[in-house]
Amino acid sequence: MKRLMFCLICLAVLLSACVGPTVEVSPEDPNETLESTETDSDSAVESVNPTATTINDTETPTLSPDDGADSSISTQKTSTPRPTSTPRPYGPDNFPRTVNPLTGLRVKDYDLLDRRPMAVKIQLYPRNGRPPWGVSLADIVFDYYQNDGLTRLNIIFYGNDAEKIGPIRSARLFDEHIMRMYKAIFAFGGADWRVYNRIYDADLRDLMVVEGKYNCPPMCREDPNGANYLVTNTE
């Protein structure tokens, strides 16, 4: 019996040690916030500024532009952003003015996007004429079969410029589709009469830049190492 009483007394002592001090809330103020006696200064959230202009029901936390990451956070109701850019002649409606719709990339000089794309016909053969000029600056490069197991390039410039593009070669029927798809200016060095008559259509003739007797610039001949190359530039 004494041993049982001793065990009960020990159990009561242990239970009293585990129970912490109770905190009572005054019945006069049931909304009072209970605060811990120890706070972490790095995780403390400052007071919320309730004053904001009511535009719609969307609330977004904003930081003051003059303050850093430690600035106080306030709740501000903002309206849905409206597009401010003017439509480009190419690409989706209200596409961002600084983004090239052919690549999805931002451009340094977005005024370039107010012009037409420019397509240029480039040779790959013979091999001793490689590497061609300007291809790495193009937005899109088409490498397509030409004839006799050979291919040629049709390269599209829109968001970039190139000071020299070449060697330029003759057009093929495929190039008409490039002009119509991109509404592009097309620079080439002549063509078979059947191809030329196909491209020299009423809605395409003003977009053609072809070599002629008196048009250097924009298209000129160069002879590096005795080779006869036709070149141009995007300007």
Side-chain angles (χ1 to χ4, degrees):
M1 189 65 180
K2 293 181 178 180
R3 183 176 299 178
L4 179 60
M5 292 296 295
F6 178 76
C7 292
L8 292 175
I9 294 174
C10 292
L11 181 61
V13 172
L14 290 175
L15 291 176
S16 63
C18 294
V19 178
T22 58
V23 180
E24 296 181 357
V25 179
S26 173
E28 298 177 357
D29 189 7
N31 296 322
E32 182 179 355
T33 302
L34 302 181
E35 296 183 354
S36 173
T37 56
E38 296 181 1
T39 38
D40 185 358
S41 59
D42 294 335
S43 61
V45 179
E46 297 183 24
S47 60
V48 175
N49 180 12
T51 59
T53 304
T54 302
I55 300 177
N56 59 16
D57 295 331
T58 303
E59 293 187 0
T60 55
T62 59
L63 290 178
S64 171
D66 297 329
D67 300 328
D70 296 332
S71 302
S72 60
I73 300 177
S74 63
T75 299
Q76 182 177 358
K77 295 185 178 182
T78 57
S79 61
T80 303
R82 297 178 177 85
T84 58
S85 61
T86 57
R88 292 284 188 185
Y90 306 96
D93 293 339
N94 296 321
F95 207 73
R97 286 185 59 83
T98 58
V99 177
N100 183 346
L102 299 188
T103 63
L105 303 176
R106 294 189 180 276
V107 295
K108 295 180 180 179
D109 182 5
Y110 56 82
D111 287 337
L112 294 177
L113 303 180
D114 287 328
R115 64 182 179 180
R116 286 182 179 270
M118 179 178 180
V120 188
K121 192 63 174 289
I122 301 294
Q123 76 170 23
L124 286 177
Y125 294 91
R127 295 179 182 273
N128 58 11
R130 300 179 183 177
W133 296 295
V135 175
S136 63
L137 297 175
D139 293 337
I140 298 176
V141 177
F142 289 92
D143 183 6
Y144 66 95
Y145 178 78
Q146 176 186 273
N147 56 267
D148 300 327
L150 306 179
T151 65
R152 279 185 181 168
L153 305 180
N154 192 318
I155 59 178
I156 313 295
F157 291 89
Y158 188 36
N160 282 328
D161 274 328
E163 294 182 2
K164 181 186 289 187
I165 309 169
I168 299 174
R169 293 300 299 269
S170 59
R172 294 294 188 273
L173 291 175
F174 172 79
D175 299 312
E176 177 194 1
H177 300 292
I178 297 295
M179 295 180 69
R180 294 190 184 280
M181 281 193 298
Y182 295 98
K183 300 180 177 63
I185 296 169
F186 180 40
F188 62 102
D192 180 89
W193 67 270
R194 290 162 294 188
V195 176
Y196 191 84
N197 288 342
R198 177 74 174 269
I199 298 178
Y200 196 75
D201 194 272
D203 59 341
L204 297 178
R205 66 181 65 180
D206 292 337
L207 303 179
M208 296 165 54
V209 180
V210 66
E211 183 181 18
K213 186 176 181 180
Y214 302 106
N215 69 338
C216 174
M219 304 179 75
C220 302
R221 289 277 174 176
E222 291 189 1
D223 293 302
N225 301 321
N228 185 19
Y229 293 145
L230 179 65
V231 297
T232 189
N233 60 65
T234 52
E235 182 180 358

